[in-house]
Amino acid sequence: MALKRSSKKQTSSKTTDTKNVKIRSIKDITVVVGYAPIESKKGTPLLSQNRQFQYFNAPTYIYPMVPAYTASNLQHHGYRVYWMDGIAEKKTYDQWIDELKATAADYLLVETKSPIVKTHWKQIVDIKKKLPFIKLVWVGDHVTAFPLETMQNSNVDYIISGGDYDFVIVNLLNHIYKGEELEGGIYWRSSNKDIKAKPKNTHTLKNGSKVYSSGPSSLRHNLDSLPFVDRDLTKWELYAYENGNYKYTPATYMYSGRDCWWNRCTFCVWDHTLNPLGSYRSFSPERLFAEVKHVVDTYGVKEIFDDAGTFMIGPKLKKFCELLIQSGYNKKVRYGINMRFNALTQDYYYLMGKAGFRFILYGMESGNQKTLDKLDKGTKEADAINGPRMARKGGLDPHITIMLGYPWETYEDARRTIEIAKYAFKKGYYETMQATIVIPYPATPLWKECKEKGWLLSEDYDKYDMRQPVMKIPFSHEKLLELEQDLYSSFMSPQYIIRKVLGIRSPHDFFYLFYMGKKLIGHLLDFDPNQTKVSFFSIAFWKNASSKLSKHFFAPKTSVDYEKDAIRLADSAMNL
């Protein structure tokens, strides 16, 4: 599907760039897509392509798929594009600004999230001061929910709401320079003379200035019309190694859909801002496979992780698997995905194993049914055992994500979640895990419930960075951090360690275990009760971490061992 063009007479297009220099073609317009560095004692900010923001002591660099498609689509349509991810490139803020100046950019597009939006407001002011001619375009879940807030608190030029900003930024620039009809989801200031479209809405800010918008977010684009991500342009090797989702490197990311077909979890900010209910779309299996073939043939990629909220299922999944098998690419690359516990039968898991799938990430969230129901997960407690067990039988490595710190969960409830994880690790159903503190992101149903019930401890966005709870819980914050460390240590049973040691078949396997051990220590440090007062070199940290790990190793028995009759080891019912 081509970008929408108006059947009506087009408005006149702009003939000069942002510095009022005459342009001969749109190749004279320069756009930078990226992230400015954020320097913090808390660690490396995990901002790119992630639904949950966190600072990591052991850095992880995730390939930001929609920004990467944004840069690639802009270049595909003739604009000059630079990729400047100052976080992944480990630049200082001043170095990044100097590089931005050197590009002579007309536009800068940046993705933001709630925990760093206030930092971005300050950066916007600074960038505008140093580069007065540049036009700033901000995107992401937070500004989708609250576009006027960023207009009020900074001098940003444009907000693009919704998750299709890789399409809409092209439309915005085509409107300015080609007279193309403006799509929905764009906000601009009334003083802006580059926009010729009649606004659908007028908004008055607290300071009395006016902001125009072009209506609801445009979310109906055909994903198959996107060009492949230009991985040279977007410096793919920055994200090809330091990522716990990879066993084989170099590796890369894909993004097969927008974003999750379940689309209902009350804590998920993308489900309720960027890609709301009813907007789910995916690539065709043929289009997705074509990009897989491209990255394997062109870059020698050995593993791919597909970061769509939930991967395609049913006939589309079957067709994609068949394409991998029939082409022989199931022998050339390993594939990883996000999936729901109860979405697949055993036959599908067998097919995926044959097709070269390796890594499968499940959002468990909690081991308590009351929490699963409140979150609208649509899963049962037993699914957290049955789904990964079935995946293991198919030859896949299950990775589980879990959150602690719900206002309605007692300390004992949290311990039950840890016991289930410990049991599953011991039995061999789980391979790896990520533990986080649940954060009620602004605009989500969970956040709204917290506001209604007085559960919020703070509405200061800076505190939503997962280093402390921002909701009232029935036990101390220190105990919550200790529980997070306990959860990260729950794999440490003799059975798990023996399996890992016996599973070493090559030097690569050994170094992979070493790498994952380094990541584990980093996560234990992320949630140390002393926070930034300790480091990798602190005796207090190592004493605490060793205590957590040894406790599980020498006491591997769990309460779940006594509940076997309650866990039916049968295929989970598919919940489509």
Side-chain angles (χ1 to χ4, degrees):
M1 179 189 293
L3 283 168
K4 182 174 66 176
R5 298 207 178 249
S6 174
S7 59
K8 301 177 183 178
K9 184 179 179 180
Q10 300 297 312
T11 58
S12 59
S13 56
K14 183 174 170 62
T15 58
T16 59
D17 65 14
T18 59
K19 296 174 272 302
N20 278 328
V21 175
K22 185 175 179 61
I23 61 172
R24 295 182 297 275
S25 73
I26 58 174
K27 289 185 178 180
D28 294 327
I29 302 302
T30 300
V31 186
V32 170
V33 178
Y35 302 95
I38 298 173
E39 298 165 9
S40 172
K41 293 180 180 179
K42 296 180 180 180
T44 301
L46 184 57
L47 177 58
S48 61
Q49 189 62 21
N50 208 51
R51 297 153 188 82
Q52 297 276 329
F53 178 89
Q54 190 174 2
Y55 287 102
F56 277 3
N57 280 286
T60 290
Y61 301 103
I62 292 180
Y63 206 163
M65 283 286 92
V66 183
Y69 273 117
T70 299
S72 304
N73 203 27
L74 282 162
Q75 181 169 269
H76 178 73
H77 282 83
Y79 296 94
R80 183 189 294 120
V81 182
Y82 291 93
W83 181 260
M84 288 179 50
D85 184 349
I87 297 172
E89 292 185 278
K90 303 176 184 177
K91 294 184 181 294
T92 66
Y93 178 74
D94 288 340
Q95 288 172 332
W96 188 86
I97 286 291
D98 288 342
E99 184 179 344
L100 181 61
K101 289 178 180 178
T103 66
D106 295 289
Y107 297 88
L108 168 67
L109 183 142
V110 174
E111 181 188 41
T112 193
K113 292 191 73 67
S114 298
I116 47 84
V117 71
K118 289 169 65 177
T119 297
H120 276 175
W121 293 342
K122 295 175 184 176
Q123 289 182 345
I124 288 169
V125 173
D126 185 65
I127 292 169
K128 277 290 196 178
K129 181 179 179 181
K130 293 173 178 173
L131 292 89
F133 296 108
I134 198 169
K135 300 293 185 183
L136 303 182
V137 185
W138 246 244
V139 299
D141 48 62
H142 188 89
V143 295
T144 293
F146 307 112
L148 301 180
E149 178 189 57
T150 290
M151 284 286 193
Q152 175 73 52
N153 287 285
S154 73
N155 48 346
V156 70
D157 296 283
Y158 298 101
I159 298 290
I160 297 178
S161 64
D164 278 11
Y165 53 82
D166 47 352
F167 289 95
V168 180
I169 183 60
V170 175
N171 169 254
L172 170 62
L173 297 188
N174 281 353
H175 170 78
I176 293 171
Y177 296 103
K178 294 184 174 183
E180 188 171 288
E181 183 181 10
L182 199 63
E183 295 188 25
I186 299 170
Y187 292 77
W188 68 97
R189 298 183 188 278
S190 61
S191 57
N192 186 326
K193 304 303 180 186
D194 292 340
I195 303 297
K196 306 302 182 184
K198 183 179 179 180
K200 296 289 179 65
N201 300 294
T202 300
H203 315 271
T204 302
L205 302 180
K206 293 178 182 178
N207 60 13
S209 64
K210 294 188 182 301
V211 169
Y212 295 147
S213 65
S214 59
S217 301
S218 183
L219 294 170
R220 291 299 177 186
H221 304 94
N222 181 352
L223 298 186
D224 279 4
S225 69
L226 282 169
F228 294 164
V229 168
D230 188 322
R231 292 170 192 271
D232 295 312
L233 169 67
T234 55
K235 305 177 184 178
W236 76 282
E237 288 183 304
L238 292 171
Y239 317 96
Y241 298 96
E242 293 185 66
N243 189 315
N245 291 352
Y246 301 151
K247 184 174 183 180
Y248 304 103
T249 57
T252 197
Y253 267 43
M254 293 284 186
Y255 192 45
S256 61
R258 304 227 174 134
D259 171 62
C260 171
W261 47 261
W262 177 252
N263 212 212
R264 288 160 55 178
C265 299
T266 63
F267 62 87
C268 183
V269 69
W270 283 17
D271 280 353
H272 302 282
T273 56
L274 294 179
N275 305 287
L277 188 64
S279 67
Y280 173 75
R281 293 144 294 148
S282 67
F283 286 116
S284 65
E286 293 81 3
R287 166 62 176 75
L288 182 61
F289 172 71
E291 193 159 1
V292 170
K293 186 176 184 299
H294 169 69
V295 301
V296 174
D297 292 348
T298 307
Y299 302 104
V301 164
K302 296 179 181 179
E303 184 158 10
I304 293 167
F305 181 70
D306 192 304
D307 203 29
T310 309
F311 196 69
M312 58 184 71
I313 58 172
K316 281 191 171 184
L317 172 59
K318 184 172 184 287
K319 179 64 176 178
F320 182 63
C321 289
E322 289 170 348
L323 289 168
L324 287 167
I325 295 167
Q326 292 165 8
S327 65
Y329 277 76
N330 61 326
K331 305 297 184 182
K332 297 181 179 182
V333 67
R334 292 290 172 260
Y335 211 85
I337 60 171
N338 292 299
M339 185 53 67
R340 288 172 54 76
F341 281 139
N342 56 2
L344 301 171
T345 62
Q346 188 65 64
D347 286 342
Y348 270 106
Y349 283 117
Y350 287 140
L351 178 63
M352 291 162 66
K354 185 178 178 182
F357 282 67
R358 181 194 72 83
F359 184 84
I360 186 163
L361 189 155
Y362 298 102
M364 174 181 167
E365 320 313 353
S366 174
N368 299 284
Q369 192 61 49
K370 65 180 179 182
T371 297
L372 299 177
D373 292 342
K374 282 184 69 64
L375 297 178
D376 203 4
K377 283 292 296 183
T379 58
K380 301 297 183 184
E381 289 180 32
D383 293 336
I385 300 295
N386 289 326
R389 179 186 58 83
M390 294 160 64
R392 275 293 201 203
K393 286 178 66 177
L396 282 70
D397 294 338
H399 175 87
I400 311 299
T401 62
I402 298 173
M403 298 189 291
L404 300 178
Y406 300 97
W408 53 82
E409 282 197 355
T410 64
Y411 183 82
E412 289 71 26
D413 289 333
R415 293 248 28 117
R416 173 175 172 75
T417 295
I418 296 172
E419 291 288 283
I420 291 175
K422 183 176 179 177
Y423 172 83
F425 272 119
K426 185 175 67 172
K427 297 291 289 184
Y429 304 146
Y430 296 177
E431 176 73 8
T432 49
M433 178 189 64
Q434 180 183 5
T436 58
I437 294 174
V438 60
I439 297 295
Y441 278 90
T444 61
L446 177 59
W447 180 75
K448 293 173 183 176
E449 182 182 12
C450 287
K451 285 179 69 71
E452 292 169 1
K453 297 183 177 179
W455 288 344
L456 287 180
L457 295 172
S458 174
E459 294 190 51
D460 179 355
Y461 299 142
D462 287 346
K463 295 182 178 179
Y464 282 59
D465 62 6
M466 212 178 289
R467 283 305 180 92
Q468 58 186 321
V470 293
M471 296 184 292
K472 295 177 182 177
I473 55 176
F475 48 90
S476 71
H477 297 179
E478 289 74 17
K479 282 189 176 294
L480 177 59
L481 293 174
E482 289 173 0
L483 285 169
E484 292 284 356
Q485 288 189 315
D486 212 13
L487 181 55
Y488 261 121
S489 306
S490 63
F491 76 95
M492 192 69 171
S493 67
Q495 294 92 329
Y496 183 88
I497 299 302
I498 290 170
R499 277 196 306 273
K500 292 294 101 181
V501 172
L502 295 179
I504 296 174
R505 297 285 185 271
S506 67
H508 175 272
D509 291 340
F510 174 80
F511 287 116
Y512 176 69
L513 283 178
F514 180 81
Y515 173 75
M516 294 307 293
K518 178 182 174 183
K519 287 288 184 183
L520 167 68
I521 298 303
H523 289 312
L524 291 174
L525 183 57
D526 292 338
F527 292 109
D528 191 282
N530 294 299
Q531 288 294 285
T532 55
K533 296 177 182 178
V534 293
S535 70
F536 283 114
F537 307 103
S538 301
I539 295 176
F541 163 69
W542 283 102
K543 182 179 179 180
N544 183 36
S546 299
S547 173
K548 290 285 190 297
L549 291 166
S550 62
K551 181 183 74 172
H552 287 290
F553 185 83
F554 292 110
K557 201 80 169 178
T558 76
S559 62
V560 181
D561 287 282
Y562 303 102
E563 300 175 13
K564 290 180 181 178
D565 292 340
I567 301 172
R568 297 185 58 193
L569 296 182
D571 289 2
S572 296
M574 292 179 69
N575 188 350
L576 307 182

